[in-house]
Amino acid sequence: MRSDSRQKLIEVRKYGSSGEPVIVLHGGPGAAGYMQPVAKELGKEFRVYEPFQRESGKERLTVACHVKDINDLIKSYCSRQKPAIVGHSWGAMLALAYAAEYPDNISALALVGCGTFDKASRQQMEKVRNERMTDNIKNHMKRLTEKIEYTDQRLCAMGQLMQKIDSYNLISSGGKIERCDARAHRESWQDMILLQDTDVYPAAFAKITVPVIMIHGTHDPHPGKMIETNLKGHIPQLEYFQLEKCGHYPWLEKAVKDKFYAFLKDWLLLQNKTI
């Protein structure tokens, strides 16, 4: 693994020295670093770039800011070959936003545990999470709110708690979040919701022509089939691969970790052969 500061606004970690380029996008937003296990594993077959998405600063963060950063990354590292993008959760949503803006710059999209693009899906996700919320977890969250003064640290702690709710049977609590930015989370997510409320997304995804696949666990509170139905109306080539006994983090699930990696690698290799 190598870190590169060639990007002015974001850090990019690199894995692998051969194969087709793949960009791995973390979720959150504002929760960088936890996709390292996926980036490392893919680095055995591909040249992988793991950007830490832009942090909060003088300018308010928007989806457009993140899309520009991805485009700058591609121009810096992938000028000769179109990369595939593997995005998780918010990162999957960002991958779609990028592909809609620059449909000719990428080779394929793999959406792992993709986030929601309509109110009905978000309501279903919250319903499932609330049903899984034990009194112990509720009390823990309340204590975090009271005891942790700094919002970035609180976001990290909340993320670790939500991982348990969103998962089926974890190998470990791995996939450590290395940087939390609560303001980046708030600003980026608010802009994504605005773009949905003004009917920009998911309609803009009709511009995407490359192969797209959703990889989704049956235990993921993000309602995979509802999200697929919503997206497929704009992305007719969308495929769907379902993982049983799997939550929001397939690479950390005991039952499907190996299956997830094998499928993702094979699918990415297949797309390279058909370009």
Side-chain angles (χ1 to χ4, degrees), residues 146-181:
E146 294 170 349
K147 291 183 178 181
I148 301 180
E149 177 182 359
Y150 298 104
T151 55
D152 292 350
Q153 295 175 5
R154 194 185 307 144
L155 178 65
C156 253
M158 290 287 190
Q160 293 300 317
L161 274 179
M162 293 307 298
Q163 186 183 70
K164 297 177 182 178
I165 294 172
D166 290 351
S167 300
Y168 183 78
N169 188 14
L170 293 177
I171 294 169
S172 68
S173 58
K176 180 183 177 183
I177 300 173
E178 296 181 36
R179 294 183 195 169
C180 276
D181 188 333

Side-chain angles (χ1 to χ4, degrees), residues 5 113 128 158 187 192:
S5 59
V128 172
M158 290 287 190
E187 291 177 357
M192 174 60 77

Side-chain angles (χ1 to χ4, degrees), residues 116-243:
T116 58
F117 286 97
D118 68 291
K119 291 180 181 178
S121 297
R122 284 195 291 279
Q123 288 171 351
Q124 177 62 22
M125 177 185 69
E126 291 305 321
K127 178 177 179 290
V128 172
R129 280 177 165 171
N130 287 334
E131 289 171 351
R132 295 179 186 176
M133 193 84 68
T134 65
D135 289 339
N136 184 47
I137 293 176
K138 288 178 183 177
N139 291 332
H140 198 165
M141 285 189 168
K142 183 179 179 181
R143 289 195 297 272
L144 287 177
T145 304
E146 294 170 349
K147 291 183 178 181
I148 301 180
E149 177 182 359
Y150 298 104
T151 55
D152 292 350
Q153 295 175 5
R154 194 185 307 144
L155 178 65
C156 253
M158 290 287 190
Q160 293 300 317
L161 274 179
M162 293 307 298
Q163 186 183 70
K164 297 177 182 178
I165 294 172
D166 290 351
S167 300
Y168 183 78
N169 188 14
L170 293 177
I171 294 169
S172 68
S173 58
K176 180 183 177 183
I177 300 173
E178 296 181 36
R179 294 183 195 169
C180 276
D181 188 333
R183 185 179 149 202
H185 175 91
R186 182 178 65 255
E187 291 177 357
S188 300
W189 185 247
Q190 286 176 348
D191 190 54
M192 174 60 77
I193 295 300
L194 176 63
L195 290 165
Q196 294 181 25
D197 288 345
T198 54
D199 298 322
V200 175
Y201 299 143
F205 302 155
K207 300 175 185 176
I208 300 172
T209 57
V210 298
V212 185
I213 192 162
M214 285 181 64
I215 303 174
H216 218 90
T218 56
H219 197 70
D220 191 334
H222 300 73
K225 284 297 182 179
M226 290 180 70
I227 297 167
E228 178 200 18
T229 299
N230 190 17
L231 291 179
K232 203 168 180 66
H234 308 281
I235 312 172
Q237 74 274 25
L238 177 67
E239 301 176 75
Y240 191 88
F241 182 70
Q242 184 167 277
L243 291 166

